[in-house]
Amino acid sequence: MGLQKNRGCGLLTKDNTGERVTIAGWVQGRRDHGGLIFLDVRDRTGIVQVVFDQEKSKSFFDQVEKIRPEYVIAVEGSVIPRSREAVNPKLKTGEIEISADALEIFNPSLTPPFYIEDGIDTDENLRLRYRYLDLRRPEMLELMHFRHKILLETRKYLDKEGFWEIETPMLTRSTPEGARDYLVPSRISPGSFFALPQSPQLFKQLLMVSGVEKYFQIARCFRDEDLRADRQPEFTQIDLELSFSTREKIMAIMEGLVRHLFLQVCGEEINPPFKVLSYQEAMDRFGSDRPDTRFAMELFDVSEIAAKCQFRVFQNAVTSGGVVRGLNAKKCGHYSRKEIDDLTALVKSWGAQGLGWMIVTGDGFKTPLAKFFDPVLLDQIREIADAREGDLLLFIAGDKEKALDILGQLRVHLGQREGLVSPGEKKFLWVIDFPLLAYDKEGKRLTSVHHPFTAPLEEDRPLLASDPLNVRSQAYDLVYNGVEVAGGSIRIHRKDIQEEIFALLGLTPADIEEKFGFLLGAFQYGAPPHGGLAFGLDRLIMLMAGRKSIRDVIAFPKTAAGNCLLTGAPAPVFAGQLAELHISPVLREDKKKG
RNA sequence: GGAGCCGUGGUGUAGUCUGGUAAACAUGCCGGCCUGUCAAGCCGGAGAUCGCGGGUUCAAUUCCCGUCGGCUCCGCCA
């Protein structure tokens, strides 16, 4: 390599005027005037214009004429100011240009399949197949840089707080519960498999038993479930755990981390402590365990009033143990019948029986329900709903959990539709006191709401035996603008309680011994009280960067079908490889290819 | 596992509903001219069997069925 790059293209300014510099990068574009050729040269710092004059560049001007977009070149020259008319205010470096007197072409380039520039609207298929070109686009490179800064500042902050970064195995054992595992066959132990970790959960608890006291890891996690815009099969967590702490202390440290990241990486001030809501309150007020509190529109309960009205659907809901809850879509009284019908269809798609509605007018309510409510009841509704002229009240009747959930979704839908969220607004809050267990109707058994290692609230422990579904846990979720970005809990550190939980989850003593014997064993040798939390790093970065897809902040993401279009993974392997691993594929008839 | 949307020169789209000369526009690409452009300009040119397979029809980019790929959502994600 002849020419040695010594400057970033985008960093040159008129302060560099007169300097001899060597820049190197990719050709963004060319403007060929015959005897005068302009090239825009781009590297990760930005773009600078290089000018080649036929007279001055005689010895290599024929080379310059061959240069096309995305060629990789180096140019040596002097930084010269542009004349006033020639200044380009759109470029950071627009006040200067480089007058070239030496050129090296490192590599030509085919015409790229899409434009290497920001804001392209190209089939994602192509972007993923040519991911190396997609990442070359400045906005994508900047996202990678952004991600780097968040990782760096995370490490700085946690180090300062006394956390040690410790790596845990990627090849570990499959455990029941939770997501489907990615399995890795063992060559040395025929018929046995490793699993890729869904999270380093058990290892970090063992590190607490080991006396590490404060651990963290930027941990890659794997879950073999279907994908979403904000879900990839392999993803990264900021995972941490500490001993001798409390829920409140852990939450405070995390608030410090979030504040540090926003300040150092985005230059924005956010002010902990964050609001704390109990799960019950979050559900009652917002119909969600991850409420978006950037706008109000809180839910209200009209069950008692509904019980007294003549409308069968409402009456029946309440008498059969359910509820009638509602929300007030402020100033939406102008919605047409069709718009309300569309909302009805929407809530039906979420499982509602129907949608009750009342438009608040100057002299009462416009509603098909009018005949079922006497005026006293309507007045009560008006008060509970804080109904003013021009408002639209919406009601869902049914099972409490379902009604709340549907109203919660409806609330978010209306919030977006009505533009109630002001751009740039940031709302963090904690949700605590989750139920420890939930009933799985399909499997007809109890499952962990968080995970099986989550400690119950001390005061609820007696209920474990008598009323397990009403036991609350010492779990906490961090919610950012209606998205769960982190979750954690104080863990169980006693063998007997852990065994009790496993038993509630339907594991037999033999299962427990086989799958979790190592954990329970560790608890017998002085396990300290401990707890921790994990951030969904990709999701956090996505939100901080204002992106809609997690794929934008992952260098080499998978498609919705879990494929890598760049490498073609997953792919068949040679029969010999399978034989070595003592496995053979058994394809169902409908899954066979070719 | 289910639902919806999308697939037309390299790229982005139009055409498809209402079948009819095998396809239009922009940009990119190639060649020529051009010494102050930065979305350079002017002139010329090449480039698509309309994702793939089957069906209906005298005739299919267009209608039907299937399939593949991408995206979004539900289920799933302790």
Side-chain angles (χ1 to χ4, degrees):
Chain A
M1 199 164 89
L3 296 181
Q4 292 293 312
K5 173 174 184 164
N6 59 19
R7 289 290 200 290
C9 296
L11 304 178
L12 296 169
T13 67
K14 60 175 187 247
D15 296 341
N16 301 98
T17 302
E19 289 177 32
R20 286 194 62 75
V21 299
T22 305
I23 53 123
W26 290 260
V27 174
Q28 177 72 41
R30 60 190 282 269
R31 290 171 295 283
D32 183 347
H33 290 236
L36 191 70
I37 295 177
F38 298 97
L39 293 183
D40 292 331
V41 180
R42 182 196 68 237
D43 65 14
R44 67 183 200 178
T45 63
I47 288 175
V48 69
Q49 172 167 282
V50 180
V51 58
F52 294 87
D53 188 306
Q54 187 164 30
E55 294 307 312
K56 221 178 126 197
S57 312
K58 252 193 182 108
S59 59
F60 59 89
F61 202 74
D62 57 327
Q63 292 287 102
V64 179
E65 288 176 321
K66 285 183 196 150
I67 293 173
R68 291 294 180 272
E70 300 309 317
Y71 276 39
V72 195
I73 64 172
V75 173
E76 187 182 343
S78 35
V79 178
I80 58 171
R82 300 201 197 180
S83 66
R84 197 136 54 87
E85 317 81 69
V87 164
N88 182 355
K90 289 183 209 158
L91 274 187
K92 266 190 199 158
T93 59
E95 288 185 295
I96 53 99
E97 63 194 356
I98 295 174
S99 172
D101 34 47
L103 166 74
E104 182 168 0
I105 298 177
F106 293 125
N107 224 338
S109 171
L110 298 175
T111 301
F114 47 80
Y115 302 107
I116 310 299
E117 62 190 27
D118 289 350
I120 57 167
D121 178 25
T122 301
D123 190 26
E124 206 160 337
N125 221 319
L126 266 189
R127 289 180 55 199
L128 291 174
R129 185 156 45 208
Y130 296 93
R131 187 62 163 179
Y132 46 90
L133 295 180
D134 191 32
L135 291 174
R136 197 132 103 190
R137 298 162 50 235
E139 62 178 332
M140 293 302 286
L141 274 184
E142 191 41 53
L143 284 172
M144 294 303 116
H145 186 206
F146 185 77
R147 185 176 177 119
H148 159 74
K149 286 188 282 188
I150 287 184
L151 289 171
L152 178 65
E153 291 301 332
T154 297
R155 289 193 160 101
K156 277 198 213 165
Y157 174 85
L158 291 174
D159 174 65
K160 190 184 71 177
E161 291 289 324
F163 288 82
W164 296 350
E165 183 170 9
I166 298 178
E167 294 150 282
T168 54
M170 300 291 274
L171 295 175
T172 179
R173 73 171 293 155
S174 177
T175 53
E177 299 282 321
R180 195 175 295 111
D181 282 320
Y182 278 101
L183 296 177
V184 180
S186 166
R187 174 179 57 84
I188 296 169
S189 302
S192 287
F193 293 81
F194 296 102
L196 301 180
Q198 295 182 25
S199 86
Q201 183 61 34
L202 294 175
F203 287 108
K204 68 177 175 176
Q205 290 190 245
L206 293 173
L207 287 172
M208 295 301 104
V209 179
S210 303
V212 167
E213 298 198 26
K214 292 184 176 183
Y215 141 95
F216 86 99
Q217 184 176 193
I218 311 292
R220 196 63 67 81
C221 305
F222 305 86
R223 295 176 190 176
D224 187 4
E225 298 293 347
D226 288 347
L227 292 82
R228 288 287 187 281
D230 62 353
R231 244 162 54 188
Q232 284 272 307
E234 78 182 285
F235 61 100
T236 306
Q237 288 186 340
I238 303 172
D239 187 52
L240 50 103
E241 194 79 8
L242 55 167
S243 299
F244 312 115
S245 196
T246 62
R247 179 161 83 176
E248 287 67 31
K249 279 190 208 163
I250 294 171
M251 284 158 65
I253 292 170
M254 289 310 95
E255 288 171 347
L257 173 60
V258 170
R259 180 175 179 277
H260 179 85
L261 291 179
F262 271 88
L263 193 60
Q264 297 303 319
V265 182
C266 305
E268 290 175 37
E269 193 65 72
I270 52 169
N271 297 305
F274 303 147
K275 236 187 172 64
V276 180
L277 282 184
S278 73
Y279 170 84
Q280 201 52 61
E281 192 178 353
M283 290 308 295
D284 279 335
R285 290 173 54 191
F286 302 101
S288 170
D289 61 359
R290 47 181 173 85
D292 188 341
T293 53
R294 287 175 297 176
F295 60 99
M297 208 194 286
E298 294 193 18
L299 314 188
F300 49 80
D301 188 353
V302 291
S303 301
E304 284 184 31
I305 302 166
K308 292 180 211 155
C309 78
Q310 305 302 311
F311 185 43
R312 277 284 162 70
V313 177
F314 281 11
Q315 280 179 339
N316 291 349
V318 179
T319 51
S320 62
V323 298
V324 179
R325 302 266 173 134
L327 59 76
N328 182 348
K330 288 271 174 199
K331 300 186 181 126
C332 293
H334 58 83
Y335 275 27
S336 66
R337 189 58 198 256
K338 168 150 196 336
E339 285 173 303
I340 293 172
D341 284 348
D342 288 346
L343 287 180
T344 306
L346 194 63
V347 298
K348 278 184 174 169
S349 77
W350 295 330
Q353 297 296 315
L355 181 67
W357 59 271
M358 297 183 177
I359 289 170
V360 188
T361 62
D363 55 353
F365 291 90
K366 183 181 145 199
T367 168
L369 304 175
K371 55 183 176 285
F372 302 117
F373 285 83
D374 72 51
V376 181
L377 296 180
L378 287 176
D379 277 345
Q380 289 173 1
I381 287 177
R382 186 194 297 273
E383 194 178 329
I384 289 176
D386 185 33
R388 309 286 164 86
E389 184 174 350
D391 290 350
L392 170 65
L393 310 185
L394 297 166
F395 304 92
I396 298 283
D399 171 63
K400 180 177 168 188
E401 269 180 41
K402 193 150 207 174
L404 287 175
D405 178 59
I406 290 165
L407 280 169
Q409 292 187 62
L410 183 59
R411 177 180 170 274
V412 170
H413 174 83
L414 289 168
Q416 283 168 359
R417 175 170 171 163
E418 293 300 311
L420 300 182
V421 174
S422 32
E425 192 167 1
K426 297 177 180 59
K427 282 279 199 237
F428 282 93
L429 71 96
W430 291 100
V431 177
I432 63 167
D433 293 349
F434 281 81
L436 183 70
L437 300 162
Y439 185 69
D440 171 16
K441 281 175 189 147
E442 269 184 38
K444 296 192 174 168
R445 62 191 186 99
L446 294 175
T447 57
S448 294
V449 168
H450 194 56
H451 59 52
F453 318 105
T454 300
L457 271 186
E458 271 311 306
E459 61 204 271
D460 287 356
R461 233 174 72 203
L463 297 175
L464 271 178
S466 57
D467 186 10
L469 283 171
N470 272 320
V471 175
R472 290 165 297 170
S473 74
Q474 300 193 49
Y476 33 84
D477 277 2
L478 181 60
V479 177
Y480 173 41
N481 290 352
V483 180
E484 181 198 329
V485 292
S489 63
I490 299 296
R491 326 296 185 189
I492 297 164
H493 63 281
R494 274 174 43 186
K495 181 168 181 277
D496 56 341
I497 302 176
Q498 187 66 69
E499 282 171 334
E500 190 177 358
I501 299 293
F502 282 147
L504 280 170
L505 295 174
L507 273 74
T508 66
D511 288 338
I512 296 171
E513 177 52 33
E514 201 219 318
K515 308 285 187 188
F516 297 109
F518 64 97
L519 178 71
L520 296 172
F523 284 176
Q524 291 176 287
Y525 291 95
H530 60 282
L533 163 143
F535 271 88
L537 181 68
D538 313 278
R539 211 176 274 182
L540 181 69
I541 296 172
M542 172 185 87
L543 293 172
M544 287 177 76
R547 288 281 162 160
K548 290 207 169 73
S549 168
I550 202 178
R551 294 187 297 276
D552 286 346
V553 300
I554 294 174
F556 298 102
K558 310 268 188 296
T559 67
N563 299 316
C564 173
L565 296 181
L566 180 58
T567 62
V573 294
F574 294 116
Q577 289 175 280
L578 292 179
E580 202 165 47
L581 295 167
H582 322 285
I583 56 178
S584 66
V586 181
L587 294 185
R588 249 168 41 206
E589 210 43 54
D590 58 325
K591 296 289 181 193
K592 284 181 184 169
K593 285 187 184 175

